[in-house]
């Protein structure tokens, strides 16, 4: 099963692969031979420009930076972490004179030449005022750095039986796989030894190992941009016509690096796992549709023979109404509030656990295939902004900590308060518009009050969420910059936490209000709860707040996905291109001809900078929350998420390939802090769904009535059981309806939904014993549901191993083969030494060693 050919060194293997790849492709230098591996852009000064004298302080900063960089190189320090330099160069650009910039640029380019890189400048007139520094990393330089970094390279082929099974499966599903070379399966896996980085990692590390780092130069304005060039990966990945195919994850990893490769692999696994969740959700919804005509409570509400008069929904403007007018709402609520939703909540809790386990296994498999099993993150060095801030504060003798603490303590709670204030504003809007519609003389407006109020309030919430999302993103970044984190990793994690908290509160505050607070603090007729004077708190419809919760969740989810995630990502780049064309003096034909003359590095200059993966992850994390947290009220959420993600994968692919500059290939073995957020949401989802089923839906009251109060064990009489009586003479002054004869007769007693004592009891309007019995059952259900589901989730977590069995066996087998390989190498070296010591007497140098073995 093994190929026992002699092991070749990593450099020889690399060279043979390079030679076998054929002639150079893609952008090259003017000679047409050397490939452009990296591009730096800078401002080109006019020849007549006046040079200002360099300040003594600037000279001091340059010399200090050079000394620090030289000491880092001499001590053999690890290069800084591989983050896109344009992300690290936000603001805080020092006001260097042009002489200083030119001096630093010259020094940097000299350093690049000293480490062996080849440079070529392009200061043509195609893009006025912009110069390009093209960089090529020769083969011997890459080999030297690869050997220094101990990168993994293939040494020996190992047979894998599981891979042969995968080969058969691949042949069956061949139409679903992209037609790219790296995606072809193999039944042989190379045994690797330290030597595993892609070329892009080496190129950027070489730039950062010079005396002045490229990140610092970008931050100081010496260079304006730094990026590798695009060349491939569109037809079989970024095109919408291949939406049904798998992603070429191996090629994505080679093109963008492991960090971005893991994001798209995770997005693919998440989308695949949504398929069974969407199917079960559709089945639950269809079950509700099939049983709506047999739902006894809905039939009782819609029955015209039940002449039930309900109390007014608002003071003065609203009048009495018939319960049968809520027939449509009751029937629609049954589509989402039925016994199948309890099963679906349990299923989704287990689904979230299986998704996390499946991703861990997939991640481990990718780590094995990409030779990341022994990868450890490099030491994270200080950010350029941190060093600049420290230097400025040191010179000014200021302390940063009071400003940071004060800014955080004031701004962060203020933003949370703004979110709650917005929710409260929408509540007042619903109260006001309902009263206004009841007072309207238009019969159409009066007949559709519920739908109008629910729909418009949900749309207003959506617009506010989209606007505040952008505001909160900027606030989170400002707060993080105010803290001045030392390292790039610390900066990214702090920014993610702040952004997640603010955006999560922004998206879910209206939903949490509808699920757990609306209709809870209303009071009763004659003793309602008022806010801000005469605004009476909202009541739920007779069928409960679950239907309105479903509407809000549906509009928020679809709106964010269609508008914020898709239209913005498609529309904003097109608007920018349109604005750039309008500013240009050329017509469309001239613009097209001009673009044809541009080379690859000049075209990439017009693309937007890569801003990181955080926005992409954040979209999916918020969507994951909507799919899991309130799935009991909206079983179609997984279906909408699946349809969105099918588009989102290709949309993100197109954006990465055609709309932003190619990012630096960064290494990573996992998705970082995002996994912890996903796991936390999956745990919280169990508790939230338990409360939704128990307190928001009518599931518990129906069970209690059926098994405790129903005379025949059926649901007949449930509606009447949930309604209490109110004597209209007990209205507070000024709150009675202005049109008491609206129904054509005088009303003496009206009904309202609550569990209270009857009018003829000793304590009328007090909470009844049925209320406390149902409350106890609700709390018991929450405790039982939460513990049972979490126990089942933990059992599934324990049952599924994190590492696939075939991968663990292969890792163990490779360790044994690696030991055997090196033992054979040592035996060969020992045999060589023995032959050398037993050479003929004509070689005097070997003779003393053979006669004096004790000295060896």
């Amino acid at each position: 099963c093994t190929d026992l050919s002699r092991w070749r060194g990593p450099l020889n293997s690399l060279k043979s692969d390079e030679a076998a790849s054929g002639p150079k492709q893609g952008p090259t230098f003017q000679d047409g031979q050397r490939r452009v591996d990296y591009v730096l852009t800078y401002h080109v000064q006019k020849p007549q420009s006046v040079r200002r004298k360099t300040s003594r302080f600037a000279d001091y900063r340059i010399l200090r930076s050079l000394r620090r960089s030289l000491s880092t190189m001499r001590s053999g320090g690890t290069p800084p972490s591989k983050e896109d330099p344009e992300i690290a160069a936000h603001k805080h650009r020092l006001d260097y004179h042009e002489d200083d910039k030119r001096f630093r640029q010259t020094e940097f380019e000299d350093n690049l030449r000293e480490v062996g890189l080849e440079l070529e400048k392009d200061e043509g007139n195609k893009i006025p005022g912009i110069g390009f520094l093209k960089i090529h990393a020769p083969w011997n330089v890459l080999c030297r750095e690869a050997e220094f970094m101990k990168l993994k390279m293939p040494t020996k082929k190992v047979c894998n039986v599981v891979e042969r099974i995968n080969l058969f499966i691949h042949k069956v599903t061949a139409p679903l796989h992209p037609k790219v070379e790296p995606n072809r399966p193999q039944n042989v896996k190379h045994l690797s030894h330290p030597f595993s980085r892609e070329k892009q990692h080496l190129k950027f590390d070489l730039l950062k190992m010079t005396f002045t780092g490229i990140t610092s130069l970008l931050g100081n304005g010496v260079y304006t941009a730094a990026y590798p060039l695009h060349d491939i990966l569109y037809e079989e990945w970024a095109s919408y016509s291949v939406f049904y195919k798998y992603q070429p994850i191996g090629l994505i990893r080679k093109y963008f690096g492991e960090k971005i490769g893991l994001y798209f692999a995770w997005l693919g696994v998440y989308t695949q796992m949504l398929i069974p969740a969407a199917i079960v959700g559709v089945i639950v919804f269809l079950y509700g549709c099939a049983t709506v005509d047999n739902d006894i409570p809905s039939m009782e509400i819609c029955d015209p023979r039940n002449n039930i008069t309900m109390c007014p929904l608002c003071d003065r403007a609203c009048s009495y109404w018939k319960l049968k007018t809520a027939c449509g709402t009751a029937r629609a609520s049954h589509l989402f509030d039925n016994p199948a939703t309890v099963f679906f909540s349990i299923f989704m809790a287990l689904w979230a656990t299986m998704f996390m386990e499946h991703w861990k296994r997939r991640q481990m498999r990718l780590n094995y295939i990409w030779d990341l099993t022994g990868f450890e993150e490099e030491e994270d060095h200080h950010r350029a902004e941190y060093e600049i801030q420290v230097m400025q504060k040191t010179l000014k003798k200021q302390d940063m900590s009071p400003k940071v603490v004060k800014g955080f303590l004031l701004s962060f709670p203020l933003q949370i308060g703004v979110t709650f204030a917005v929710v409260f504003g929408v509540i007042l809007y619903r109260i006001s518009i309902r009263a206004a519609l009841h007072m309207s003389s238009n019969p159409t407006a009066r007949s559709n009050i519920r739908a109008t109020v629910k729909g418009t309030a949900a749309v207003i919430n959506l617009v506010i969420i989209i606007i505040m999302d952008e505001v909160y993103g900027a606030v989170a970044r400002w707060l993080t910059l105010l803290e001045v984190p030392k390292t790039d990793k610390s900066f990214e994690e702090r920014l993610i936490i702040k952004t997640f908290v603010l955006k999560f509160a922004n998206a879910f505050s209206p939903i949490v209000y509808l699920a757990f607070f609306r209709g809870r603090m209303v009071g009763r007729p004659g003793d309602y709860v008022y806010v801000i004077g005469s605004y009476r708190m909202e009541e739920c419809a007779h069928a409960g707040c679950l239907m309105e919760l479903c509407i809000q969740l549906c509009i928020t989810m679809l709106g964010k996905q269609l508008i914020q995630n898709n239209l913005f990502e498609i529309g904003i780049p097109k608007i920018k291109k349109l604005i750039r064309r309008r500013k240009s003096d050329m017509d469309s034909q001239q613009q097209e001809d001009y673009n044809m003359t541009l080379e690859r590095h000049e075209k990439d200059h017009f693309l937007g900078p890569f801003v990181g993966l955080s926005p992409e992850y954040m979209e999916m994390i918020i969507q994951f929350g909507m799919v899991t947290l309130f799935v009991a009220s909206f079983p179609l959420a997984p279906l909408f998420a699946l349809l969105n993600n099918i588009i989102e994968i290709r949309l993100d692919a197109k954006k990465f390939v055609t709309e932003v500059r190619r990012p630096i290939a960064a290494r990573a073995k996992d998705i970082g802090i995002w996994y912890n957020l996903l796991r936390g949401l999956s745990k919280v989802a169990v508790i939230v769904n338990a409360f939704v089923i128990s307190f928001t839906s009518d599931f518990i009251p129906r069970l209690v009535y059926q098994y405790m109060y129903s005379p025949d064990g059926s649901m007949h009489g449930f509606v009447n059981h949930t309604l209490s009586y109110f004597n209209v003479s007990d209205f507070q002054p000024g709150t009675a309806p202005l049109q008491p004869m609206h129904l054509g007769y005088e009303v003496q007693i009206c009904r309202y939904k609550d569990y209270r004592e009857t009018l003829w009891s000793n304590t009328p309007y007090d909470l009844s014993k049925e209320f406390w019995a149902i409350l106890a059952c609700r709390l018991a259900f929450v405790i039982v549901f939460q513990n049972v589901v979490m126990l089942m989730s933990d059992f599934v977590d324990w049952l599924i191993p994190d590492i696939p069995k075939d991968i663990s066996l292969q890792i163990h087998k490779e360790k044994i083969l690696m030991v055997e390989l090196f033992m054979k190498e040592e035996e060969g070296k020992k045999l060589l030494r023995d032959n050398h010591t037993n050479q003929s007497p004509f070689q005097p140098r070997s003779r003393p060693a053979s006669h004096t073995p004790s000295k060896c």
Side-chain angles (χ1 to χ4, degrees):
C1 283
T2 55
D3 180 7
L4 298 178
S5 60
R6 184 174 180 80
W7 175 60
R8 299 178 183 273
L11 301 183
N12 292 335
S13 299
L14 259 182
K15 191 170 184 179
S16 62
D17 292 343
E18 183 87 1
S21 62
K24 300 282 184 183
Q25 296 181 357
T28 61
F29 280 14
Q30 294 295 332
D31 56 14
Q33 296 296 323
R34 293 172 294 175
R35 182 185 175 88
V36 178
D37 295 321
Y38 209 81
V39 173
L40 303 178
T41 65
Y42 55 91
H43 289 295
V44 177
Q45 298 297 318
K46 297 180 181 179
Q48 292 83 9
S49 61
V50 180
R51 298 182 181 178
R52 293 182 289 181
K53 188 176 179 179
T54 305
S55 64
R56 296 176 64 183
F57 178 61
D59 290 337
Y60 164 74
R61 283 184 290 193
I62 294 171
L63 292 174
R64 180 179 176 181
S65 176
L66 288 172
R67 290 194 199 102
R68 184 169 62 249
S69 301
L70 277 169
S71 63
T72 302
M73 286 194 64
R74 287 169 181 169
S75 62
T78 309
S81 63
K82 304 167 293 307
E83 183 171 352
D84 194 321
E86 293 185 63
I87 299 176
H90 309 293
K91 300 176 182 177
H92 308 295
R93 293 179 179 267
L94 296 181
D95 187 19
Y96 278 89
H97 298 305
E98 295 304 324
D99 300 10
D100 303 330
K101 292 182 181 179
R102 195 174 295 105
F103 171 74
R104 290 168 67 87
Q105 183 178 341
T106 303
E107 287 293 320
F108 180 71
E109 292 171 5
D110 290 342
N111 295 334
L112 294 183
R113 293 187 180 93
E114 285 183 14
V115 297
L117 299 179
E118 298 176 2
L119 313 179
E120 181 180 89
K121 286 192 173 183
D122 182 2
E123 298 181 355
N125 296 322
K126 291 181 181 178
I127 305 178
I130 299 295
F132 297 90
L133 178 66
K134 295 182 281 188
I135 302 174
H136 170 70
W139 171 254
N140 60 336
V141 176
L142 290 176
C143 290
R144 182 191 68 206
E145 296 302 324
E147 190 174 13
F148 171 75
M149 294 175 183
K150 298 181 180 179
L151 305 185
K152 289 186 179 180
M153 282 300 295
T155 60
K156 186 177 182 179
K157 293 181 180 179
V158 183
C159 177
N160 192 341
V161 178
V162 176
E163 291 297 330
R164 292 180 177 175
I165 300 174
N166 292 338
L167 178 62
F168 172 75
I169 298 175
H170 186 278
K171 290 181 179 179
V172 176
T173 61
L176 301 179
H177 290 276
K179 299 177 182 177
V180 290
E181 189 68 27
N183 199 60
R184 293 180 183 174
Q186 298 176 352
N187 59 354
V188 173
K189 200 263 183 192
H190 287 280
L191 177 63
S192 300
H193 188 55
F195 204 84
S196 71
R197 284 200 181 184
E198 300 298 327
K199 266 179 118 178
Q200 292 295 342
H201 300 90
L202 298 178
K203 296 162 192 170
F204 190 55
D205 286 343
L206 287 171
L207 295 176
K208 291 198 287 189
M209 284 194 297
T210 49
F211 296 154
T212 307
I214 182 60
T215 301
S216 177
L217 294 177
L218 285 166
N220 296 327
V222 178
Y223 292 99
T224 58
Y227 50 90
L229 301 181
H230 284 295
D231 50 10
I232 55 173
L233 206 65
Y234 180 82
E235 293 294 334
E236 291 297 327
W237 182 46
S239 176
Y240 292 109
S241 61
V242 293
F243 73 92
Y244 60 93
K245 292 187 177 183
Y246 294 108
Q247 299 182 85
I249 296 298
L251 191 58
I252 296 170
R253 170 249 182 175
K254 288 188 175 182
Y255 191 76
F256 290 112
E258 287 83 356
K259 192 171 185 178
I260 295 178
L262 282 173
Y263 163 71
F264 282 102
W266 172 83
L267 184 57
V269 170
Y270 174 44
T271 304
Q272 290 176 1
M273 289 295 293
L274 281 172
I275 295 175
I279 293 173
V280 177
V282 171
I283 293 174
V284 169
F285 177 74
L286 293 178
Y287 170 82
C289 295
T291 59
V292 67
D293 291 331
N294 300 323
D295 183 49
I296 296 176
S298 299
M299 294 169 61
E300 289 184 349
I301 293 175
C302 298
D303 191 351
R305 295 174 295 179
N306 292 331
N307 190 23
I308 300 177
T309 302
M310 302 296 294
C311 295
L313 296 174
C314 63
D315 292 342
R316 296 180 63 81
C318 303
S319 186
Y320 306 105
W321 56 285
K322 291 293 186 180
L323 181 60
K324 64 181 181 181
T325 59
C327 176
T329 305
R331 290 174 62 86
S333 296
H334 178 75
L335 301 179
F336 305 99
D337 187 5
N338 56 70
T341 57
V342 179
F343 158 76
F344 190 56
S345 299
I346 299 174
F347 170 81
M348 287 303 295
L350 299 178
W351 172 88
T353 303
M354 293 184 68
F355 162 61
M356 302 302 294
E357 292 301 311
H358 181 42
W359 166 244
K360 282 195 293 186
R361 291 168 62 85
R362 172 66 171 160
Q363 183 174 263
M364 189 61 203
R365 190 176 295 276
L366 290 176
N367 285 342
Y368 171 72
I369 295 173
W370 295 348
D371 294 320
L372 294 172
T373 49
F375 171 72
E376 295 182 1
E377 292 187 4
E378 298 173 352
E379 181 184 354
D380 214 1
H381 286 242
H382 291 172
R383 300 170 62 243
E385 288 84 351
Y386 174 78
E387 294 183 353
I388 292 171
Q389 288 282 352
V390 170
M391 185 168 58
Q392 289 178 343
K393 297 296 180 181
T394 302
L395 293 172
K396 294 179 181 180
K397 297 182 179 180
Q398 294 179 356
D399 187 13
M400 294 186 293
S401 55
K403 181 181 177 182
V404 172
V405 174
K406 184 178 180 181
F408 180 80
L409 291 178
L410 291 178
S411 300
F412 201 74
L414 178 63
Q415 300 304 317
I416 301 295
V418 169
T419 300
F420 293 145
V422 168
V423 174
F424 187 69
V426 177
I427 294 172
L428 295 182
Y429 162 79
R430 276 198 290 256
I431 296 172
S432 304
I433 198 67
R434 178 179 286 108
L437 290 175
H438 275 287
M439 297 175 63
S440 174
S441 59
N442 188 343
T444 305
R446 292 174 64 90
S447 63
N448 296 292
I449 293 175
R450 286 192 182 91
T452 303
V453 173
K454 293 176 183 178
T456 56
V459 171
I460 291 173
N461 271 322
L462 171 63
V463 173
I464 293 174
I465 287 171
I466 292 175
I467 295 173
M468 296 306 295
D469 256 2
E470 304 302 321
V471 175
Y472 288 152
V475 169
R477 191 170 193 85
W478 174 71
L479 288 174
T480 309
L481 289 172
L482 196 64
E483 296 176 9
V484 195
K486 290 185 179 181
T487 62
D488 292 318
K489 183 178 180 180
S490 174
F491 177 86
E492 185 180 13
E493 289 183 351
R494 293 186 187 188
L495 178 60
I496 288 172
I497 292 297
K498 292 180 181 63
T499 307
F500 173 76
V501 171
L502 290 173
K503 291 193 174 185
F504 186 86
N506 180 45
F508 287 95
S509 292
I511 299 172
V512 170
Y513 164 74
L514 290 174
F516 304 124
F517 295 99
R518 185 179 177 182
R520 310 294 173 193
M521 301 172 290
V522 178
R524 62 170 178 82
D527 189 20
Y528 283 114
V529 177
Y530 295 88
V531 292
I532 311 182
S534 60
Y535 287 96
R536 199 175 97 184
M537 288 298 292
E538 295 181 284
E539 297 180 56
C540 291
H542 183 271
C545 285
L546 197 69
M547 187 61 197
E548 190 162 351
L549 173 63
C550 174
I551 293 173
Q552 180 66 63
L553 189 61
C554 177
I555 291 180
T556 302
M557 186 175 182
L558 292 179
K560 279 180 64 66
Q561 291 179 168
L562 292 176
I563 298 174
Q564 193 173 29
N565 298 355
N566 293 334
L567 291 183
F568 280 11
E569 292 187 5
I570 296 174
I572 290 178
K574 292 185 180 297
I575 292 174
K576 288 181 178 179
K577 290 180 182 178
L578 183 62
I579 293 174
R580 191 163 61 241
R581 285 182 181 178
R582 296 213 170 194
K583 288 183 178 180
S584 176
D585 298 331
M586 297 179 288
D587 57 26
S588 58
Q589 184 60 40
Q590 291 174 333
Q591 184 74 33
E592 188 176 346
D593 295 340
Y594 171 72
N595 291 337
M596 294 292 291
T597 62
L598 296 178
E599 296 185 25
R600 181 73 264 174
H601 64 274
E602 294 168 327
K603 292 179 180 178
D604 285 5
H605 175 72
F606 289 112
L607 301 177
F610 175 66
V611 295
L613 289 170
S614 294
E616 314 303 330
Y617 273 116
M618 191 64 67
E619 292 176 11
M620 295 296 105
I621 293 294
I622 297 297
Q623 183 200 88
F624 181 80
M626 291 187 175
V627 167
T628 55
L629 288 179
F630 294 92
V631 73
S633 62
F634 189 40
L636 294 180
L639 175 64
F640 291 141
L642 173 64
L643 297 177
N644 172 80
N645 287 5
I646 291 174
I647 301 174
E648 182 73 19
I649 290 176
R650 307 303 165 179
L651 188 63
D652 285 348
K654 187 176 182 181
K655 180 174 69 174
F656 274 68
V657 172
T658 64
E659 294 174 4
V660 299
R661 294 170 188 158
R662 186 177 177 183
I664 303 301
R667 301 199 87 195
K669 64 185 302 182
D670 53 42
I671 60 176
I673 194 173
W674 299 108
Y675 179 82
N676 298 330
L677 293 177
L678 286 168
R679 194 164 187 83
L681 283 177
S682 63
K683 297 295 184 183
V684 173
V686 178
I687 303 173
V688 171
N689 282 298
F691 275 94
V692 169
I693 295 171
S694 182
F695 285 90
T696 309
S697 73
D698 279 340
F699 178 73
I700 299 299
R702 292 187 182 193
L703 285 181
V704 172
Y705 174 78
Q706 185 174 3
Y707 293 104
M708 290 181 63
Y709 300 105
S710 176
D712 57 356
S714 68
M715 293 302 296
H716 290 287
F718 172 73
V719 173
N720 186 65
H721 182 261
T722 61
L723 298 177
S724 298
Y725 294 88
F726 177 73
N727 192 332
V728 298
S729 62
D730 293 335
F731 273 123
Q732 291 181 357
T735 61
L738 295 175
Q739 299 177 352
M741 300 295 292
H742 172 69
L743 297 178
Y745 57 89
E746 184 180 359
V747 176
Q748 299 293 333
I749 295 176
C750 64
R751 309 289 297 272
Y752 62 98
K753 186 177 182 180
D754 205 349
Y755 292 94
R756 293 185 179 268
E757 295 291 345
T758 59
L759 298 175
W760 46 88
S761 68
N762 295 329
T763 55
Y765 304 130
D766 285 353
L767 294 173
S768 64
K769 62 179 182 180
E770 288 85 356
F771 172 84
W772 299 110
I774 291 173
L775 178 61
C777 292
R778 283 175 167 174
L779 294 175
F781 176 83
V782 169
I783 295 172
V784 173
F785 182 90
Q786 172 188 340
N787 286 279
V788 169
V789 174
M790 283 194 172
L791 183 63
M792 294 171 65
S793 300
D794 291 340
F795 176 73
V796 171
D797 189 359
W798 171 81
L799 193 63
I800 303 175
D802 294 345
I803 304 177
K805 187 175 181 180
D806 61 309
I807 296 297
S808 60
L809 291 175
Q810 283 298 113
I811 293 174
H812 179 69
K813 187 176 181 180
E814 286 187 5
K815 289 180 180 179
I816 296 175
L817 289 175
M818 188 63 70
V819 172
E820 293 178 359
L821 187 64
F822 278 103
M823 287 180 63
K824 289 181 181 179
E825 288 292 319
E826 289 300 321
E827 289 176 3
K829 291 178 182 178
K830 184 179 179 182
L831 184 62
L832 228 86
R833 286 196 299 269
D834 292 342
N835 292 337
H836 185 66
T837 55
N838 295 328
Q839 285 178 353
S840 61
F842 296 103
Q843 298 180 356
R845 288 188 179 181
S846 60
R847 207 175 301 142
S850 60
H851 291 295
T852 57
S854 60
K855 294 181 181 181
C856 291

